[in-house]
Amino acid sequence: MTFAALRSLYALIGDALDDIERIYRDASLDSSSPTPTTPYAVLTSPCTPYRRRAPRAEDDDETEDEYVPYSAARSPKTPRRTGNGASLDSDVTVNVLDFPSLDMPYYPTEEHDQSLDAAESLASHPDVIAATNRIVAACGQIGATVHRPFLTLCDAAMAYHLPACLRFLEASHTVELLRAAGPDGMHVSELSRHVNVEEGKLAHMLRLLATHHITREVRPNVFANNRISAIMDSGKTPEDLRRPSQDKYESTNGIAAFVNLSTDELFKSASYLADCYLPTLSPKSTEGVHAMHAPFNVAFDTELPYFEWLERPGNEARLKRFGPAMTGTAAWEVPGAIIGGFPWHELKEGSVVVDVGGGIGSTAMLLAHTFPHLKFVIQDRPQVAEHGVAAWRERCPEMLDSGRAMFLGHDFFLPQPALFLPNSIEPAAPSVYILRVVTHDWPDAFVTKILLNLRRAATPDTKLLIADHILPHACYDEDEDAASEEDPLPGMVRSLAPQGSPLLPNLGKANANAYWLDLTMRVTFNAQERTLREMAALVQTAGWKIVDVVHGESSSFGYMTAVPIDIPEATSSSFSSTGTVMNVKASGATGRGRSGSVLSAPESIRMDHTFGSHTALPTEDAIRKPAPKSKRPLLPWWRSKSAPIAKGGKVVTPEKKLPPLPPPEVGMGKSPKARRPKLSLITPSMPDIRSPARVLHTRSNSKVRILSPGTNGSSTCLQDTVQFPRVSAGPSSDDTLLQSPLMSSFADGPTLLPALEPGPPLKVRARPSRTSLKKKASQVFEFTKASMAHLRSPTARESPGGGLGHLAAAAASTPRLVGSGASASAMSIPSLPGVEESPPGRARADSEGGKMGVREPRKMRSRSQLGLAHATVEVRAGRAGLRDGARVENWDGASVEGDR
Ligand SMILES: C[S@@+](CC[C@H](N)C(=O)[O-])C[C@H]1O[C@@H](n2cnc3c(N)ncnc32)[C@H](O)[C@@H]1O
């Protein structure tokens, strides 16, 4: 059986590689021109030339999403096919974009060749991340299976050398020195002169890191950065860093700061975990004097909670490092994912969203730009709120001036104040309370107190949205009490592993980060990340019930929506309504201490501590393109274009500007190099909106939101909501019409896209883009369980082809595809055990809305191995390729979001 399991894991790796390679190949086809000088040709690592033949008629036949097995793909005799079925034969040479090389540093602070940018961007593509997760999980499991157990134990028991050496690497600024040395690297004798440490020591530390793929030993005793060490580059020069006044972490992506923080007090605290919990090990393990007592207190021999300690004299550098280090953790969540985490568009006009512990308003800013019908109150400690006001004044003062957003200094351990919004004499009712990465900062009893304050101020309609990591179990997650009368917990994921695979159900090493973070919170604050059950039980203690969960894509971050229920009697009597916490006891996560002594209560925690406030607002890129489900490649997450970048010691803040407005006369086929958005909306009813604009389909019927530059020239406030009550065809020579015959047939059911009715013309003008549109292209959109619910509705079921037909037809009738000759097919994926399925099948619709039918899938292997409960829609170009203006990439996750 072990061999069978190993072979199955091995096959999984091959399949995942196929998936990744296919995405890279498709992207190469999308981006390359049929000339020999494609940008990808300049890759340092050799790229593989493939031959592509001219499209054949049969390519337009229903080619299933066939993939070439990894081994077969290596055979020169095997005809290659891309994901959209295009065969890669002779006529045209296409250089295929390679996966980023481990040996090749990609410094966040440098400008790169377009191909490297593209390769890095694709590595952040959600489908690539999902596939790499399977590879990492399988490799970890194969290693654990075949490696001698003692050696695996040695790896675990002596892994402490890794953070120790990593700390050295970062703190000695060796990364910056190796960057200056270039790809040939630097001999340890020279490095020794710079860092003033004996070369023998240096060589051995760097070799340990090289053995773990964190640096590279180019030749004996000569070391260079690689793709992993390079992301710690601060961008400062070694000379700059020698100056004591230099703040290494200022204006960086925060990764070096994060490494420094993790390998300093967090690492040291972790090493005292057992000593803290087991009195037999250490006299210092006696219970603490406050409920946040943790291994940190034992390690640093202090009774102060972490943040209080951080603010003591002597810890200034650590305190200063904390903010940037938090910025460095941004990648834990897919940027902007909160937009899809809650049905914001369903909230009524003027609804008030209160971001509790909202920092300087990063989340609120993203939401406020995306959902102009909502108002925001951002609550945090007064000094954080002050920073927030200053930051918003600089970025979008009109949000504050108009009363759409306001900051409120408030201690969340005290009862919620009445919400008086600017220009209003009546207190507003809170529609949604957000708690984003707040609960993981606190032990259970503290969280209960925070939640209780919100519960007491809630109306029956108020929702609570908790955004935090949701820890999966390490085993298949069965119901603890299958006989229970209770409804099963919404959002319960029983396994993340592909169905039937031998992988650890939580994907083991691939998801280790959530568990690292969990224990980091534990050893530092006596806090924790929580499983869904733990969170459900905790919120219930304060009178909330989780009713919906949206899991992050390829991340353990999730969004839990709760509604008010009765407050349990035990909680009411333990927590007064005035803010005093009674009976909060020490130590354990449940607030029960060994001695049962009453310890310091939450309100005694000073309000002026750091508490992990983030220091950065979302980038303009993130605000302008908040499409978390987008299948378009994202920029590598540490390379946000508008984040300040330090170059050679000089901080360069990229211009805060939108792309220039296209001259109105520029139409199709002109100025191919111009970098501008691919769509402009031109409508007689809004003659002044001819600027770069982007359409987000919202669920509200016949409402199109346009993002355009603010009229005052500010680049940040992009919002304009335009109500188009009726939209219909209006002939124009080179315009594709925003009109869909199929759309109206779904108007009365739950629709994927807004139902547009006949009315005045609204036209989409095609803009030239870097990529030629006259070729094969495909785009895959995945629909999670939440969206799938729509497909089971009676309207969807009764439409031709059932739910899948409905989905395919809606996709094919997306305005940008109508008349383009493109087709869409939808396929369902077998769901997980215990989760309701839609019948497996496949439906196809062409963009005229004519032919549709349901077919059994011919090949579902690679997708079904994802093991997720979802459907996919694939949009393909027609025989003639996609027509200009029907660029499928523009039909992106935004419309999927609208479906929620
Ligand atoms: C980890 S940060 C999360 C910030 C923000 N929600 C986000 O998603 O980036 C925790 C926040 O809780 C705030 N906080 C800590 N104690 C607080 C208190 N007693 N009252 C209000 N806010 C508090 C901190 O200032 C900090 O901004």
Side-chain angles (χ1 to χ4, degrees):
M1 286 304 277
T2 309
F3 278 122
L6 286 170
R7 292 223 173 269
S8 162
L9 291 169
Y10 176 69
L12 240 149
I13 295 172
D15 284 348
L17 275 174
D18 280 342
D19 287 351
I20 297 175
E21 222 180 332
R22 187 172 56 181
I23 292 166
Y24 272 72
R25 263 188 235 161
D26 285 354
S28 310
L29 286 179
D30 265 359
S31 321
S32 60
S33 67
T35 59
T37 50
T38 64
Y40 305 119
V42 297
L43 276 174
T44 314
S45 57
C47 45
T48 327
Y50 291 113
R51 309 285 289 168
R52 185 171 63 138
R53 64 161 169 73
R56 291 183 192 138
E58 56 269 31
D59 286 351
D60 278 344
D61 290 340
E62 174 123 351
T63 19
E64 296 296 338
D65 52 72
E66 180 184 326
Y67 71 85
V68 183
Y70 186 69
S71 48
R74 291 287 164 272
S75 151
K77 287 188 183 139
T78 308
R80 289 168 181 272
R81 282 179 177 275
T82 66
N84 39 336
S87 177
L88 295 162
D89 273 359
S90 47
D91 302 349
V92 184
T93 299
V94 177
N95 289 313
V96 171
L97 198 54
D98 201 1
F99 197 83
S101 154
L102 174 60
D103 287 348
M104 202 190 299
Y106 179 87
Y107 297 105
T109 52
E110 281 182 0
E111 287 299 314
H112 302 95
D113 180 81
Q114 205 186 353
S115 60
L116 292 183
D117 274 344
E120 284 291 347
S121 298
L122 276 181
S124 308
H125 188 296
D127 294 348
V128 173
I129 293 176
T132 51
N133 279 350
R134 298 197 298 279
I135 294 175
V136 173
C139 289
Q141 201 158 322
I142 290 178
T145 309
V146 300
H147 210 32
R148 281 161 53 206
F150 177 68
L151 292 183
T152 302
L153 269 188
C154 287
D155 273 353
M158 298 200 287
Y160 45 79
H161 291 304
L162 258 186
C165 292
L166 195 57
R167 177 163 171 71
F168 179 87
L169 184 79
E170 193 283 323
S172 61
H173 316 312
T174 297
V175 171
E176 286 78 9
L177 285 161
L178 294 184
R179 170 176 32 91
D184 293 339
M186 187 183 274
H187 195 280
V188 282
S189 59
E190 192 186 342
L191 194 57
S192 160
R193 281 197 295 281
H194 287 286
V195 301
N196 218 6
V197 173
E198 195 236 308
E199 57 184 88
K201 290 178 184 143
L202 279 176
H204 287 246
M205 288 188 284
L206 293 179
R207 192 164 297 121
L208 180 94
L209 292 171
T211 307
H212 289 86
H213 307 288
I214 294 174
T215 53
R216 186 162 71 97
E217 188 163 11
V218 185
R219 287 179 290 117
N221 294 321
V222 175
F223 292 89
N225 280 332
N226 69 0
R227 181 171 177 242
I228 297 177
S229 60
I231 65 165
M232 294 187 336
D233 177 30
S234 67
K236 316 262 153 96
T237 63
E239 298 71 43
D240 283 340
L241 292 171
R242 268 198 288 275
R243 284 199 288 275
S245 60
Q246 177 64 241
D247 182 351
K248 182 174 180 183
Y249 307 126
E250 206 176 87
S251 310
T252 66
N253 59 20
I255 293 177
F258 171 71
V259 167
N260 196 304
L261 165 69
S262 304
T263 57
D264 183 11
E265 61 262 28
L266 303 185
F267 166 47
K268 291 164 188 166
S269 300
S271 61
Y272 282 86
L273 183 144
D275 302 66
C276 179
Y277 297 152
L278 296 175
T280 46
L281 288 185
S282 161
K284 288 184 182 174
S285 70
T286 51
E287 73 220 24
V289 292
H290 53 78
M292 297 182 84
H293 184 83
F296 154 76
N297 297 96
V298 180
F300 287 85
D301 199 15
T302 174
E303 285 306 342
L304 296 175
Y306 175 70
F307 283 119
E308 217 167 303
W309 171 85
L310 202 56
E311 288 167 12
R312 298 297 280 222
N315 282 334
E316 292 81 0
R318 284 175 162 141
L319 179 61
K320 200 165 175 193
R321 182 193 57 196
F322 198 86
M326 290 301 99
T327 306
T329 64
W332 280 337
E333 191 197 7
V334 179
I338 196 161
I339 289 169
F342 185 85
W344 303 104
H345 50 278
E346 286 178 3
L347 295 175
K348 288 201 195 94
E349 185 80 33
S351 295
V352 178
V353 177
V354 187
D355 193 357
V356 180
I360 60 168
S362 315
T363 301
M365 182 173 277
L366 203 61
L367 293 175
H369 278 103
T370 315
F371 302 102
H373 65 298
L374 304 179
K375 294 185 170 176
F376 293 85
V377 176
I378 303 130
Q379 293 182 349
D380 208 292
R381 297 169 301 115
Q383 61 277 46
V384 177
E386 265 171 43
H387 280 136
V389 171
W392 281 53
R393 280 248 151 264
E394 202 175 297
R395 281 284 288 275
C396 51
E398 54 275 41
M399 287 264 186
L400 300 176
D401 294 339
S402 66
R404 277 210 52 220
M406 65 176 272
F407 280 83
L408 201 62
H410 173 67
D411 180 352
F412 51 43
F413 291 116
L414 296 175
Q416 274 288 313
L419 295 173
F420 285 101
L421 301 182
N423 316 322
S424 167
I425 46 168
E426 291 290 320
S431 292
V432 183
Y433 286 122
I434 304 177
L435 280 174
R436 187 180 171 277
V437 284
V438 167
T439 53
H440 83 161
D441 282 347
W442 301 96
D444 283 4
F446 290 69
V447 177
T448 301
K449 178 66 183 163
I450 297 169
L451 295 176
L452 191 61
N453 284 327
L454 303 183
R455 173 63 188 86
R456 284 177 172 147
T459 71
D461 294 329
T462 303
K463 306 278 191 312
L464 168 70
L465 179 66
I466 299 178
D468 247 317
H469 286 276
I470 303 176
L471 284 185
H473 285 260
C475 59
Y476 184 81
D477 203 346
E478 292 182 62
D479 279 333
E480 276 164 355
D481 181 8
S484 160
E485 299 274 288
E486 292 272 306
D487 291 341
L489 254 182
M492 200 66 192
V493 174
R494 304 199 182 280
S495 169
L496 296 171
Q499 209 173 354
S501 84
L503 277 180
L504 212 53
N506 64 357
L507 293 188
K509 263 186 190 271
N511 265 332
N513 198 47
Y515 301 91
W516 296 137
L517 191 59
D518 174 37
L519 280 174
T520 297
M521 304 316 286
R522 178 69 79 191
V523 300
T524 321
F525 312 109
N526 194 27
Q528 65 179 119
E529 304 295 339
R530 294 173 172 90
T531 64
L532 188 56
R533 284 204 189 88
E534 284 171 340
M535 188 59 94
L538 184 57
V539 300
Q540 219 157 357
T541 62
W544 294 98
K545 181 178 181 189
I546 293 180
V547 291
D548 191 28
V549 179
V550 177
H551 291 275
E553 238 186 325
S554 303
S555 119
S556 58
F557 211 85
Y559 301 87
M560 294 158 273
T561 301
V563 295
I565 54 172
D566 289 343
I567 301 172
E569 182 49 42
T571 312
S572 291
S573 53
S574 298
F575 293 88
S576 79
S577 55
T578 58
T580 320
V581 179
M582 296 165 339
N583 302 334
V584 174
K585 310 216 172 129
S587 282
T590 54
R592 285 184 297 276
R594 274 195 300 275
S595 71
S597 57
V598 177
L599 299 166
S600 60
E603 67 268 30
S604 71
I605 290 185
R606 279 177 29 216
M607 280 284 281
D608 55 351
H609 296 307
T610 316
F611 290 116
S613 296
H614 285 238
T615 51
L617 286 175
T619 63
E620 289 188 29
D621 251 13
I623 288 175
R624 290 169 54 193
K625 290 194 277 178
K629 293 269 176 188
S630 171
K631 297 292 167 187
R632 302 183 58 185
L634 309 165
L635 257 191
W637 51 268
W638 64 85
R639 288 221 53 204
S640 108
K641 282 267 191 269
S642 53
I645 290 176
K647 270 192 190 158
K650 222 169 86 198
V651 174
V652 181
T653 307
E655 263 186 276
K656 287 185 185 172
K657 274 200 185 136
L658 282 173
L661 300 185
E665 68 275 13
V666 175
M668 272 195 295
K670 293 183 194 157
S671 180
K673 284 193 181 140
R675 288 190 85 206
R676 59 176 67 97
K678 288 135 199 150
L679 290 175
S680 281
L681 286 183
I682 303 177
T683 164
S685 58
M686 294 289 293
D688 51 338
I689 299 187
R690 296 192 307 174
S691 48
R694 203 154 70 87
V695 183
L696 292 182
H697 295 280
T698 65
R699 196 175 171 199
S700 47
N701 288 352
S702 61
K703 198 179 200 180
V704 178
R705 187 170 321 122
I706 298 183
L707 304 183
S708 62
T711 44
N712 60 1
S714 111
S715 58
T716 49
C717 294
L718 312 171
Q719 211 63 49
D720 247 321
T721 299
V722 190
Q723 192 82 27
F724 289 108
R726 301 162 78 73
V727 178
S728 77
S732 172
S733 56
D734 59 4
D735 288 335
T736 303
L737 304 177
L738 258 182
Q739 195 260 359
S740 155
L742 264 178
M743 210 60 95
S744 50
S745 65
F746 295 116
D748 47 1
T751 56
L752 179 72
L753 298 166
L756 302 174
E757 295 160 1
L762 174 67
K763 296 169 279 178
V764 178
R765 168 164 290 180
R767 293 282 171 207
S769 74
R770 188 166 55 82
T771 313
S772 161
L773 301 172
K774 304 266 187 204
K775 62 175 181 304
K776 289 278 179 186
S778 101
Q779 190 78 349
V780 175
F781 304 93
E782 293 192 350
F783 292 78
T784 59
K785 237 182 345 148
S787 314
M788 295 280 285
H790 295 300
L791 303 184
R792 291 194 280 271
S793 72
T795 320
R797 279 207 185 129
E798 282 158 22
S799 56
L804 288 170
H806 178 78
L807 190 58
S813 61
T814 188
R816 285 166 227 169
L817 291 182
V818 170
S820 69
S823 66
S825 53
M827 186 173 74
S828 77
I829 298 296
S831 52
L832 297 168
V835 179
E836 199 192 336
E837 301 185 4
S838 64
R842 187 179 189 99
R844 182 169 182 244
D846 70 20
S847 55
E848 310 306 333
K851 297 169 268 172
M852 273 201 298
V854 180
R855 293 196 192 169
E856 285 303 306
R858 268 190 251 141
K859 194 158 190 172
M860 290 177 56
R861 189 156 72 93
S862 68
R863 294 252 176 79
S864 65
Q865 279 173 347
L866 291 170
L868 299 170
H870 61 200
T872 63
V873 172
E874 184 159 338
V875 179
R876 289 185 188 167
R879 182 165 296 138
L882 284 174
R883 256 173 55 171
D884 285 352
R887 198 171 156 74
V888 283
E889 284 155 273
N890 280 328
W891 190 74
D892 63 16
S895 48
V896 179
E897 291 310 307
D899 192 39
R900 285 255 165 84

